[in-house]
Amino acid sequence: MEAGLRDGRRDRLSPAPPIDPDTAPERRRAFIRAHTRLWAPPHVPEIVLHLADEATDLWEKTEEELGALGVPPPFWAFAWAGGQALARYLLDHPGTVAGQSVHDFASGSGLVAIAAAKAGARSVIASEIDSFAVAAIGLNAAVNATPITVHFGDLLSGPVPDVDVLLAGDVFYEQPMGKAVLAWLDRSRAAGTDVLVGDPGRSYLPRERLEPVAEYSVEVTRALEDSEIKRTTVWRLKPPLRRPR
Ligand SMILES: C[S@@+](CC[C@H](N)C(=O)[O-])C[C@H]1O[C@@H](n2cnc3c(N)ncnc32)[C@H](O)[C@@H]1O
């Protein structure tokens, strides 16, 4: 899906410097408010988010805002199929997270984290590597009156989060990332964390390591996907495989 997003961009700016979300948080929030509208993803009408209708134009505006090329696509401006399915599952099965500590990895708009908080999670952390996503999660959490702590940075090579439930919506769309995410989720599962994944069957989904929990037909943004409805599954990560002695 990212390849589709990259089509049609103009290469006329300099490479992106590292972006710290603390550099200009109010400017990030103003940008998000200016280029999105508040509406509910079709599969999760209980939650409203700052969302965009179109990706390429927004991506170019993000580059112009930063005066740089090579910034991440504006994933945060869309409610991805995997995230919508996972959020739906949590709202319909609140016992999955109620009273538990929860981490939503690669949170994007914050949709899954917000659903976890609404379902009664004791605490919710959302992590992201995109400074615009960090700002969007903050705005969206406030609109939905859900307390969420946002972590900026890549956690994949460090210790796994010390939480009861780890959630990941739509994270298996690139090979290196998919491999690193699975290794990290495996380590979390081995540490006793319940790991749930929402995914519509992206190219690098490790199906053999997952068991299906629920399935939904999710309405998605046509400009980003190959169809308007994506059959999407909520999966639970199986315990890590033991090597034969
Ligand atoms: C397709 S979006 C999914 C967003 C959200 N989970 C959903 O389902 O709507 C993938 C997200 O992963 C984030 N991401 C990619 N690599 C990451 C990493 N190493 N750590 C945290 N977030 C990451 C991106 O910034 C992007 O927001």
Side-chain angles (χ1 to χ4, degrees), residues 6 45 56 85 92 98 110 116 119 126 130 136 141 150 158 179 182 209 223 233 235 240:
R6 288 196 192 280
T56 305
D92 291 348
D130 180 347
V150 188
K179 205 175 156 195
L182 177 60
R209 297 284 300 106
T233 304
W235 308 85

Side-chain angles (χ1 to χ4, degrees), residues 32-33 35-55 58 75-80 84 109-111 114 118 136 139-141 143-144 218-224 228:
I32 291 166
R33 287 194 197 96
H35 296 294
T36 61
R37 60 193 172 89
L38 268 178
W39 51 284
H43 213 61
V44 197
E46 299 92 331
I47 294 174
V48 288
L49 301 168
H50 289 82
L51 298 175
D53 302 302
E54 195 282 333
L58 177 60
F75 288 115
W76 56 267
F78 301 91
W80 296 88
Q84 289 199 59
S109 65
L111 170 61
I114 292 167
K118 275 187 174 285
L139 284 174
N140 290 330
V143 169
N144 291 280
V218 178
E219 199 180 313
V220 290
T221 308
R222 186 70 180 88
L224 301 176
E228 282 170 10

Side-chain angles (χ1 to χ4, degrees), residues 144-169:
N144 291 280
T146 45
I148 291 175
T149 302
V150 188
H151 174 89
F152 174 65
D154 192 343
L155 299 172
L156 292 180
S157 54
V160 293
D162 180 15
V163 291
D164 300 314
V165 185
L166 182 51
L167 305 167

Side-chain angles (χ1 to χ4, degrees), residues 62-120:
T62 312
E63 291 176 335
E64 283 161 14
E65 169 74 8
L66 295 171
L69 269 183
V71 303
F75 288 115
W76 56 267
F78 301 91
W80 296 88
Q84 289 199 59
L86 197 44
R88 182 72 269 144
Y89 182 77
L90 298 179
L91 293 171
D92 291 348
H93 304 85
T96 312
V97 291
Q100 314 268 346
S101 57
V102 173
H103 186 114
D104 177 29
F105 170 75
S107 192
S109 65
L111 170 61
V112 174
I114 292 167
K118 275 187 174 285

